[in-house]
Amino acid sequence: MDRILINGGNPLTGTVRINGAKNSALKLMAAALLTDEPLTLTNMPDLADTRFMAHLLAHLGVAVTRKNGTQMTLHAKKLAEPFAPYDLVRKMRATFNVLGPLLARHGTARVSLPGGCAIGARPVDLHLKALEAMGAQIDLVEGYAVALAPTGLHGAHISFPFVSVGATEHAMLAAVLAQGETVLDNAAREPEIADLANCLNAMGTQIEGAGSASISIKGVGSLGGTEHRVMPDRIEAGTYALAVAATGGNVLIENCDPAHLGALWDRMRAIGVTTEPQGVDSVRIIQNGDRCSAADLETQAYPGFPTDLQAQFMAVMCRANGASIIRETIFENRFMHAPELSRLGADITVHGREAVVRGVPELHGAPVMATDLRASVSLVIAGLAAQGQTEVNRIYHLDRGFEGLERKLGALGANIKRVSEAG
Ligand code: UD1
């Protein structure tokens, strides 16, 4: 099993280029199931999660080819049996989003329930209710969602009781081939929703309101192929911005969309870090002082502060000047990084969904263990800001979502390397 070794204390300087968004790419890949024509995705990240999704889609009969590192073509000319087994679903929850497209195209599907994960139970009840509202009959049998829509899906008015990114996307993916119009109220407004809508519209459907809380989808008889550029990964961009906040330095983050990170820029200003958007696709982060100021944080659905950047913000607060209260409102168990950060000398107390971080002048390197994707990268950020050597174990979590992390950080001046068990 690989580990990452960091000798902390170097400021970050230079330019870093952001990849396409993992969370968007996974749902765009599922959209390939909706058409018998090829869907080509450009600006595709190459991650353990996108490979895993490609593996599942290949099992479902999709021909997947990669070109030039960042282009992927998915061609579902003819689907195989619409069956997604446990082994190909359990590792990554986004795979569950194949249920709607399979059902819409095939009239039947059997997809393993994804189960919980380290950050919480993460049920899929809203996904299932949305499909049922469109006419699907779904039974839960031995860990599988067994779904039928013998006469196809029909449009429906679905009002979500709370915001869910995955359920909004799943409902959209099913509604595009349903008969009639579907309206989604209290829909998620994350930029990834608009990215998916843009791609589906280019494939021939008519979706309006994506990015707002009310989305309308006019179903069509069939969809065609298209070429679509995956939006930049706002979480990767925000992670590098917070790494600079932790270490100090001056970094230009390229190929991102600064407009997607308004809530982060607000918190960066509050902790005394300069953020300067440069045109529409770059942002410069400047942190001159040794320590940031402390500021409180609450995660919220978009346009609020993303839960996927909460752990990284906490890593920055560990060395801040003062105390910070961090409140997690999206997931019930998303502070697993706190005890690991404490191993580096951080002073953190967790009470339920709230963590109090009292900034300390210095962190000191130590061996730590990654527990989930975003938590892992918060340990890397803390290691970059700590004195001495930090060893991050179980880094397969990092490979799920951060392409070339140690290469990119190394190019910015960090002393970081990956070592395998053998070497
Ligand atoms: C997506 C992102 C994830 C991000 C999250 C919130 C992907 C692949 N993942 O996850 O990185 O942290 O959005 O921005 O895009 N819930 C239910 N029932 C449901 C669905 C969700 O109770 O049927 C709950 C979840 O347990 C969670 C909350 O709703 O507490 C929000 O989850 P959701 O927005 O659905 O997150 P994901 O789509 O799983």
Side-chain angles (χ1 to χ4, degrees), residues 153-423:
L153 298 173
H154 55 72
H157 192 140
I158 298 161
S159 192
F160 292 112
F162 52 88
V163 171
S164 161
V165 176
T168 302
E169 291 165 333
H170 205 162
M172 284 166 63
L173 284 164
V176 288
L177 287 183
Q179 250 181 38
E181 185 177 353
T182 296
V183 175
L184 307 178
D185 281 333
N186 201 19
R189 291 181 283 166
E190 269 66 6
E192 290 76 14
I193 308 279
D195 200 30
L196 178 60
N198 289 341
C199 177
L200 292 170
N201 280 342
M203 291 167 76
T205 184
Q206 224 184 315
I207 301 179
E208 282 174 15
S212 79
S214 184
I215 302 177
S216 80
I217 304 140
K218 290 208 175 72
V220 290
S222 67
L223 289 174
T226 192
E227 181 174 313
H228 178 83
R229 183 177 166 80
V230 180
M231 64 172 270
D233 196 317
R234 62 194 170 99
I235 304 303
E236 189 193 13
T239 298
Y240 284 100
L242 286 163
V244 181
T247 62
N250 181 331
V251 169
L252 181 68
I253 303 177
E254 281 185 340
N255 193 35
C256 64
D257 189 340
H260 290 161
L261 285 162
L264 173 64
W265 307 145
D266 172 72
R267 290 298 79 193
M268 295 288 256
R269 275 191 295 276
I271 63 175
V273 178
T274 306
T275 61
E276 294 171 354
Q278 317 263 303
V280 291
D281 67 352
S282 300
V283 60
R284 183 172 290 285
I285 312 293
I286 305 165
Q287 158 61 353
N288 287 324
D290 177 44
R291 293 169 72 189
C292 296
S293 315
D296 296 339
L297 175 79
E298 179 170 289
T299 62
Q300 287 293 344
Y302 192 83
F305 191 96
T307 173
D308 286 351
L309 289 174
Q310 179 258 106
Q312 298 89 316
F313 188 83
M314 185 184 283
V316 178
M317 289 299 94
C318 291
R319 274 193 70 235
N321 221 327
S324 149
I325 298 175
I326 298 182
R327 194 170 151 69
E328 170 61 49
T329 72
I330 309 291
F331 292 106
E332 67 264 30
N333 189 27
R334 209 170 198 183
F335 286 136
M336 281 159 317
H337 40 285
E340 296 300 310
L341 290 169
S342 299
R343 292 177 56 77
L344 302 179
D347 179 352
I348 306 171
T349 321
V350 175
H351 306 278
R353 290 198 172 202
E354 228 168 61
V356 179
V357 187
R358 292 182 183 82
V360 294
E362 292 296 349
L363 296 174
H364 297 279
V368 289
M369 193 150 70
T371 49
D372 72 72
L373 170 57
R374 311 303 178 185
S376 324
V377 84
S378 79
L379 302 177
V380 171
I381 290 177
L384 293 172
Q387 297 301 316
Q389 182 166 287
T390 295
E391 175 185 310
V392 186
N393 293 286
R394 293 211 185 155
I395 57 165
Y396 51 84
H397 291 291
L398 278 174
D399 295 331
R400 290 187 43 212
F402 291 95
E403 192 175 331
L405 182 73
E406 61 278 15
R407 172 179 49 81
K408 288 184 181 185
L409 285 170
L412 296 176
N415 185 337
I416 179 169
K417 68 174 178 190
R418 178 183 292 245
V419 287
S420 63
E421 201 69 337

